[in-house]
Amino acid sequence: MKIITKTLMASCIACACASLPVLAAEKVDLIITNAQILPMDGQQRVIDDGAIVVKGNKIVALGEMKIASQYEAKRTIDAGGDIVMPGMINTHNHIPMVAFRGLGENGVENRLINFMFPLEKEMLSRDLIRTASRHAAMELALSGVTLITDMYYHEDEVAKSVAEVGIRGVLGETVIGFPVVDAKQPYGGLEYAEKFIDEWKDHPLITPAVAPHAPYTVSAEWLIKAKDLAVEKQVPLLTHLAEFTWEESKTDAFSEQMQPGQSVIEYLDSIGFLVDNLVAAHVNHLDEQDMALLKKHGVGIAHNPKANTKGNNGYSPSWDMVNKGLDVGLGTDGPMSSNQMDIINVMGYAAVVARTNHGDNAKFTPYELVELATIGGARVLDMDDEIGSLEVGKKADIVIVDTDAPNTQPNYDPFATLAFSAYPQNVTHTIVDGKVIVADGKLTTVSQQAHDKEWLPVTKKVGEFAKTLN
Ligand SMILES: [Zn+2]
């Protein structure tokens, strides 16, 4: 069938040459051919033997292979039947913490307060944050993550590294009620955030944001100041929410405005903190009324099933939230919590958590899991009109996943292959904003060798200090 089509096309072109003016092929930058396309455009469809055409940073055409003949591309990638999908979106992380990955893994009680905060106090610097962020961004790009959402300190250094590697970043400068590496005064992060937002707001890959850490580390007054800044500058507002069972008692003790008997979510509603540009990470411990409040205010949910279960912090009712119409995407949390930063692994954890929670193996189908990993994340960040699916007019954030590897064969159902069988190492190509930043499993934007010269001394220093903590 394919051969006949090609023969017909060839003869048509031949007669056109003889008797009709030749229509010039449109010049474009990139065509991906022989693709098993998962558009994730809401139609739950697969385009086998497809092609995607990219001009500049946008998708200008996609469909059956025959569309490719209308274009002349500077570069063609033959996908060889592999899965071609939207770039994956990580909706919650603290990427510079990759410098501390693997430390304090032997059951430290209240690890955040007793281990992570002291480690950060001693070790963090502008240089560590920039180098570790580059390391993380490289790992993310290689795993097919095309957008990272981050909350940390010196976010301008995070931004430099994320942009250098070439993935997108929604990067929130942390506001917290004690002195930290980039703010000598409690809550100094707010001033830092305002400057960071003004400096980076027009960058094509970076969306600067403000990130009040959590209701138990930020007072009501400063939560509202952070929210007001996000609303005024029209940027995302990132926070941790209802992650721990102890959160209500600590928030109650911390904030004079929390009323007895209120849940943390009711408290945040009462002070006017819940707004539609808020992205709340975790959201494990909540009831129906809390869910209704989050939905009413259009709050996006970053679901981190691996970090939550590894840290024994509970199970988010993510399936219920999705089915009540809340926007839910997938995240990993920081590399001390989840260790891996890719989203391919998180799809499987999301299914395991939902199915265990409900005692039902139908909760989250493979298609729904791929939705959470792509367009779901874009909805959480209010960026779904630009990214999250493969559609004409959208930005070209595209990932190719090898379906000829032993672990991705057989590939009867590409959604099941991705959600349950694939490894991040199966990603062969990552394209962000039309630019190929990973080709044949190798980064094209930064040199591993040059990076290692900065990275290895960082891990040596951290490793030496970590020995004093035990
Ligand atoms: Zn976190």
Side-chain angles (χ1 to χ4, degrees):
M1 189 66 184
K2 275 186 207 158
I3 294 163
I4 293 166
T5 312
K6 274 185 184 162
T7 311
L8 283 174
M9 269 169 52
S11 63
C12 287
I13 289 164
C15 29
C17 286
S19 54
L20 294 167
V22 180
L23 286 173
E26 187 184 341
K27 288 192 167 44
V28 292
D29 294 293
L30 173 69
I31 299 184
I32 304 170
T33 58
N34 296 309
Q36 183 180 46
I37 302 173
L38 313 185
M40 306 311 296
D41 56 0
Q43 297 180 52
Q44 201 162 337
R45 62 184 176 136
V46 177
I47 306 171
D48 287 312
D49 297 321
I52 300 187
V53 183
V54 175
K55 189 171 184 177
N57 67 348
K58 291 208 167 125
I59 296 168
V60 293
L62 86 166
E64 294 172 10
M65 267 296 283
K66 64 184 178 197
I67 65 159
S69 63
Q70 300 163 34
Y71 300 93
E72 186 188 322
K74 283 185 195 153
R75 180 172 187 174
T76 300
I77 298 172
D78 183 345
D82 289 345
I83 291 171
V84 176
M85 65 181 293
M88 285 169 273
I89 294 173
N90 187 328
T91 58
H92 182 63
N93 207 324
H94 315 278
I95 60 171
M97 293 180 81
V98 74
F100 311 135
R101 177 160 59 188
L103 294 175
E105 293 287 3
N106 297 302
V108 180
E109 198 188 332
N110 204 343
R111 189 164 168 255
L112 173 70
I113 310 282
N114 296 329
F115 192 89
M116 294 191 196
F117 283 166
L119 182 66
E120 288 179 325
K121 189 164 182 257
E122 190 63 32
M123 284 281 98
L124 287 183
S125 69
R126 204 174 247 284
D127 288 344
L128 180 146
I129 287 171
R130 187 184 57 259
T131 305
S133 295
R134 188 192 307 114
H135 190 88
M138 290 162 74
E139 181 179 337
L140 287 158
L142 288 166
S143 76
V145 170
T146 54
L147 187 156
I148 184 65
T149 313
D150 195 66
M151 300 169 61
Y152 213 58
Y153 310 107
H154 286 307
E155 278 296 329
D156 49 332
E157 298 295 342
V158 180
K160 283 179 202 163
S161 290
V162 166
E164 182 189 3
V165 172
I167 60 173
R168 291 184 199 281
V170 173
L171 309 178
E173 171 66 26
T174 293
V175 178
I176 198 161
F178 49 82
V180 286
V181 62
D182 61 356
K184 286 196 176 70
Q185 299 299 319
Y187 304 118
L190 192 73
E191 199 184 322
Y192 200 108
E194 186 165 4
K195 234 169 97 189
F196 169 57
I197 292 164
D198 289 343
E199 277 170 14
W200 284 84
K201 66 178 186 302
D202 297 322
H203 193 280
L205 296 177
I206 305 298
T207 304
V210 56
H213 175 265
Y216 56 87
T217 50
V218 181
S219 69
E221 181 193 350
W222 286 91
L223 285 171
I224 294 307
K225 283 184 179 173
K227 186 266 297 181
D228 287 346
L229 179 67
V231 170
E232 182 205 325
K233 301 279 183 187
Q234 295 184 304
V235 295
L237 176 68
L238 314 176
T239 200
H240 293 100
L241 181 59
E243 178 179 6
F244 304 110
T245 48
W246 49 257
E247 207 161 299
E248 263 140 31
S249 62
K250 271 223 168 17
T251 303
D252 188 25
F254 186 80
S255 179
E256 286 173 4
Q257 292 195 45
M258 188 165 174
Q259 302 300 316
Q262 271 187 329
S263 71
V264 173
I265 292 167
E266 286 169 332
Y267 155 67
L268 293 178
D269 178 48
S270 73
I271 62 170
F273 182 74
L274 302 181
V275 286
D276 63 5
N277 49 345
L278 178 64
V279 177
H282 306 297
V283 198
N284 296 331
H285 307 289
L286 73 168
D287 60 19
E288 296 271 324
Q289 206 176 325
D290 291 328
M291 268 184 229
L293 284 173
L294 295 176
K295 187 177 177 191
K296 181 179 143 197
H297 294 289
V299 175
I301 311 296
H303 177 39
N304 302 270
K306 181 182 175 190
N308 296 151
T309 49
K310 176 173 172 265
N312 188 31
N313 295 323
Y315 300 94
S316 168
S318 52
W319 190 88
D320 300 283
M321 289 195 271
V322 169
N323 282 278
K324 284 179 191 297
L326 278 83
D327 292 336
V328 179
L330 300 179
T332 51
D333 209 351
M336 284 189 83
S337 304
S338 197
N339 305 59
Q340 297 156 319
M341 288 189 273
D342 65 278
I343 287 300
I344 287 178
N345 274 301
V346 180
M347 286 190 260
Y349 281 96
V352 167
V353 164
R355 292 172 186 197
T356 307
N357 248 346
H358 291 271
D360 178 0
N361 72 355
K363 293 292 181 272
F364 286 141
T365 64
Y367 176 78
E368 288 168 337
L369 293 166
V370 180
E371 270 198 320
L372 292 177
T374 56
I375 189 70
R379 286 192 197 113
V380 166
L381 299 166
D382 296 331
M383 295 171 83
D384 50 308
D385 55 342
E386 297 219 304
I387 56 170
S389 60
L390 302 179
E391 294 180 73
V392 171
K394 279 201 169 180
K395 301 235 170 106
D397 290 7
I398 305 168
V399 165
I400 304 181
V401 181
D402 182 14
T403 55
D404 299 315
N407 67 297
T408 52
Q409 272 294 312
N411 177 35
Y412 300 127
D413 172 355
F415 301 108
T417 300
L418 281 171
F420 297 126
S421 304
Y423 299 132
Q425 291 81 358
N426 297 129
V427 170
T428 62
H429 292 73
T430 303
I431 296 149
V432 185
D433 213 35
K435 187 173 174 190
V436 181
I437 64 165
V438 174
D440 299 315
K442 299 267 184 297
L443 279 162
T444 64
T445 47
V446 289
S447 148
Q448 178 83 48
Q449 219 180 357
H451 166 70
D452 281 347
K453 277 191 189 151
E454 285 182 41
W455 169 246
L456 297 176
V458 166
T459 56
K460 190 162 184 279
K461 195 173 158 196
V462 171
E464 290 295 326
F465 176 72
K467 284 179 197 156
T468 68
L469 287 172
N470 295 320

